[in-house]
Every structure is written in structure tokens, then in C-alpha cells.
């Protein structure tokens, strides 16, 4: 674990939040969630503030553990986590049929890891939509370093009310991002509006599966841990997402929980029973080392007060994700490929 990596982690905690206000931001963030007295209605009503605080607080931890792409992927035996993540991104590009010169939208792009990978893989121009200023500034820096800044850019906007004109993009994708939307239909309506008629939208969604039982207290606790640790208003079911896509006006080409096809469990990088040198920082031992590193960095004031609290709710997230994966009640890779009909009317006009 390099000194530079540790210092980047320490300096990044809090994002654009003033360092002396990080602890207060953690308090405010946690209060949105059930474990701290919050509820789903509060999270949905204040989703923009909640999600922004979440990513200001957690982005440096994500980049420290995951690299530039913050998502899971189906993984083959002998394949590194990074290799599987790249393949998962290429799969999305191939399903969309991306072609050189097309104008593509990445909805909820994070710091742009998938954006850069897919842009280089498909020779397309990609716009990353993100409502978090810190992630955009980090993404722009990485775009310059990798020299894709001439064809790829970022727009700061809420994906519930995008600033683009109707029928702007040749393709749209989202990778484990639209789960932050307070309302799936509202989000899909906006994606439908900005997509050109006859073109495709593909995504990996975080969802509860048909095995989830809302009356089961263990299941409900796992769901709450996932929501707390990942800045989510509510984790919807695969059925709810599919229904919302149809109501938005999309034609469903195909959909499937790709976790069912993964030779290795998708949650293996976070599983205490799993060890990998290639993704050491995500393993139980790696997280233990990080936890103590953050404790030291906060003690010597290189990391702001509250950093350990961020580490703690991210640990809860890991526990919830692993438990949800083992019980097969949660998936981070419900995939769908849908098409906007050639009729071209927006869903708002049609309703």
C-alpha cells in the first residue's frame, strides 16, 4: 500500500466539503437512513443532497479500493477483477452496437473510468452526466491524463431533469448509477427524451431479486445496510425497473440478471472468505489495513475528522452486499437493453 495512495485517500475524503465540516456531513448523511431514524420518503425527497454528500465522502475510498471504475462484474476463474471490469464495460458497448463518431451519454458516470474505457474501445464521443462537482473535477483531470479530453466531457446536472435537448444522443448507458434515482420512471423518462428515435439504452441496475421477501426481517436489514452504505433512496426490484422502462415507452430487447451467469460470485471481491492479491484493498484483510490506516491518518490530522465514520458505513455496505449476494436477494447487475421506437415522440408527449 503506497504512501502516495494513502495520502490521496486522506486528501480526498470529503470531496468538495470543507475539511472541518466532514464530520457534520457524515452526521447529516447518516440521518437519512433507517438505522439512524430516517426513512424512504426523506431519502427520496432529499436524494440530490444525500447522493452528493455520499460521493463527496466516499469517492476517495472507492478510487483507493476499486480504481477508476466503481462497479461489479461477472468474473471467470483466473481472471483479475480489473480484467472482468473491462470486459463488463466492453460487453455494454457491444450490446449498444456503438460505432465510431457516435455521440453517447453515460448517465451517472462517477469519475469516468467506464467512460474512458468505452470511448477508447468504441471510438465514440462520450458525455458523462454527473451531479457531483468533486467527481467531475476528478474525472476531467483523468481525461486529460489519458488524452480523451478532446472527445469526452462531463456535464453537471441531475439525471431527473437533464439539460440536453430532445433526441440528442445516439446511445445512452448507465452502470450501477440510476439506482440513485428517487423514481425509476422519472429517470427513464428523461433518458427516453434525450435518446434519438430508433436508438438504444442499456444499463446495469442494482435490484432486489424475486427471492427478496419484504416481510423477512433479515432480508430487510440487508436491504437497509445496502442503502446506507451506498447512498440509495430505495433498492427497487427487477420487476419494478422493467415495468418503469415499459411505462417510459421503451421496447425491451432483452433483460437478465447477469449475476446468475457469473462463474465466480459477483461479491467475491468483498467476501471475507475470498483472498486476491490483484484486488487486495477490497478483501477483508485489505479493508482491515485500510480501516487502521484511516484511523492513523485521522489521528495525525492528515485525514479530516469523520473519515473513520465514512469507512464504517462503507464496511456496513460491504457486509450488506455480501449477505445479499449469498442469499441471492440482491443483484448489482440486472442488465437490460431497450430501444426508443422510431415514432420519436417523447414519453411526456405521449402521456
Amino acid at each position: 500500500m503506497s504512501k502516495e495512495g494513502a495520502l490521496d485517500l486522506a486528501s480526498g475524503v470529503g470531496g468538495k466539503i470543507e475539511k472541518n465540516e466532514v464530520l457534520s456531513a457524515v452526521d447529516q448523511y447518516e440521518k437519512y437512513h433507517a438505522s439512524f431514524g430516517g426513512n424512504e420518503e426523506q431519502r427520496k425527497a432529499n436524494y440530490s443532497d444525500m447522493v452528493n454528500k455520499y460521493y463527496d465522502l466516499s469517492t476517495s475510498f472507492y478510487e483507493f479500493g476499486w480504481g477508476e471504475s466503481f462497479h461489479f462484474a461477472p468474473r471467470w476463474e483466473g481472471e483479475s477483477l480489473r480484467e472482468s471490469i473491462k470486459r463488463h464495460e466492453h460487453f455494454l458497448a457491444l450490446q449498444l452496437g456503438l460505432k465510431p463518431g457516435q455521440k453517447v451519454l453515460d448517465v451517472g458516470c462517477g469519475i469516468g473510468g467506464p467512460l474512458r474505457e468505452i470511448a477508447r474501445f468504441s471510438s465514440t464521443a462520450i458525455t458523462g452526466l454527473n451531479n457531483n462537482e468533486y467527481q467531475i473535477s476528478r474525472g476531467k483531470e483523468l481525461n486529460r491524463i489519458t488524452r480523451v479530453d478532446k472527445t469526452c466531457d462531463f456535464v453537471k446536472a441531475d439525471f431527473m431533469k437533464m439539460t440536453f435537448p430532445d433526441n440528442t444522443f445516439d446511445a445512452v448507458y448507465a452502470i450501477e448509477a440510476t439506482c440513485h434515482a428517487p423514481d425509476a420512471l422519472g429517470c427513464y423518462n428523461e433518458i427516453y427524451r434525450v435518446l434519438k428515435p430508433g436508438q438504444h439504452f442499456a444499463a446495469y441496475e442494482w435490484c432486489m431479486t424475486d427471492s427478496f421477501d419484504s416481510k423477512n426481517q433479515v432480508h430487510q436489514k440487508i436491504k437497509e445496510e445496502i442503502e446506507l452504505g451506498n447512498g440509495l433512496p430505495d433498492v427497487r426490484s427487477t420487476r419494478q425497473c422493467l415495468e418503469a422502462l415499459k411505462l417510459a415507452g421503451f421496447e425491451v430487447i432483452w433483460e437478465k440478471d447477469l449475476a446468475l451467469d457469473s462463474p465466480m460470485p459477483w461479491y467475491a471481491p468483498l467476501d471475507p472468505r475470498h483472498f486476491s492479491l490483484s484486488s487486495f484493498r477490497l478483501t477483508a484483510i485489505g479493508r482491515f489495513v485500510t480501516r487502521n490506516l484511516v484511523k492513523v491518518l485521522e489521528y495525525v490530522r492528515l485525514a479530516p475528522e469523520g473519515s473513520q465514520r465514512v469507512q464504517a458505513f462503507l464496511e456496513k455496505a460491504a457486509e450488506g452486499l455480501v449477505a445479499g449476494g449469498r442469499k441471492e436477494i440482491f443483484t448489482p447487475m440486472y442488465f437490460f437493453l431497450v430501444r426508443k421506437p422510431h415514432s420519436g415522440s417523447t414519453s411526456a408527449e405521449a402521456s
Side-chain angles (χ1 to χ4, degrees), residues 164-233:
F164 309 111
D166 294 356
N167 308 324
T168 296
F169 295 98
D170 299 300
V172 179
Y173 69 83
I175 301 178
E176 301 182 22
T178 47
C179 50
H180 291 294
D183 168 41
L185 178 57
C187 183
Y188 295 159
N189 276 339
E190 274 294 271
I191 291 169
Y192 185 100
R193 181 182 66 78
V194 302
L195 182 63
K196 292 178 182 178
Q199 301 305 309
H200 296 86
F201 165 44
Y204 300 127
E205 278 280 12
W206 280 32
C207 291
M208 306 312 293
T209 69
D210 288 343
S211 298
F212 174 72
D213 179 1
S214 60
K215 296 177 183 177
N216 183 311
Q217 289 187 345
V218 174
H219 287 195
Q220 194 61 46
K221 183 175 181 293
I222 290 169
K223 181 174 181 284
E224 288 170 4
E225 287 180 347
I226 293 171
E227 289 164 351
L228 166 64
N230 296 281
L232 304 178

Side-chain angles (χ1 to χ4, degrees), residues 247-289:
L247 287 172
F250 285 109
E251 297 173 351
V252 179
I253 308 299
W254 73 282
E255 46 83 29
K256 186 176 184 179
D257 178 5
L258 298 186
L260 300 173
D261 293 336
S262 182
M264 287 180 66
W266 61 264
Y267 53 85
L270 302 175
D271 193 337
R273 298 177 299 191
H274 175 82
F275 181 80
S276 170
L277 282 175
S278 67
S279 53
F280 174 76
R281 291 176 179 177
L282 294 175
T283 65
I285 299 172
R287 297 204 306 273
F288 173 80
V289 172

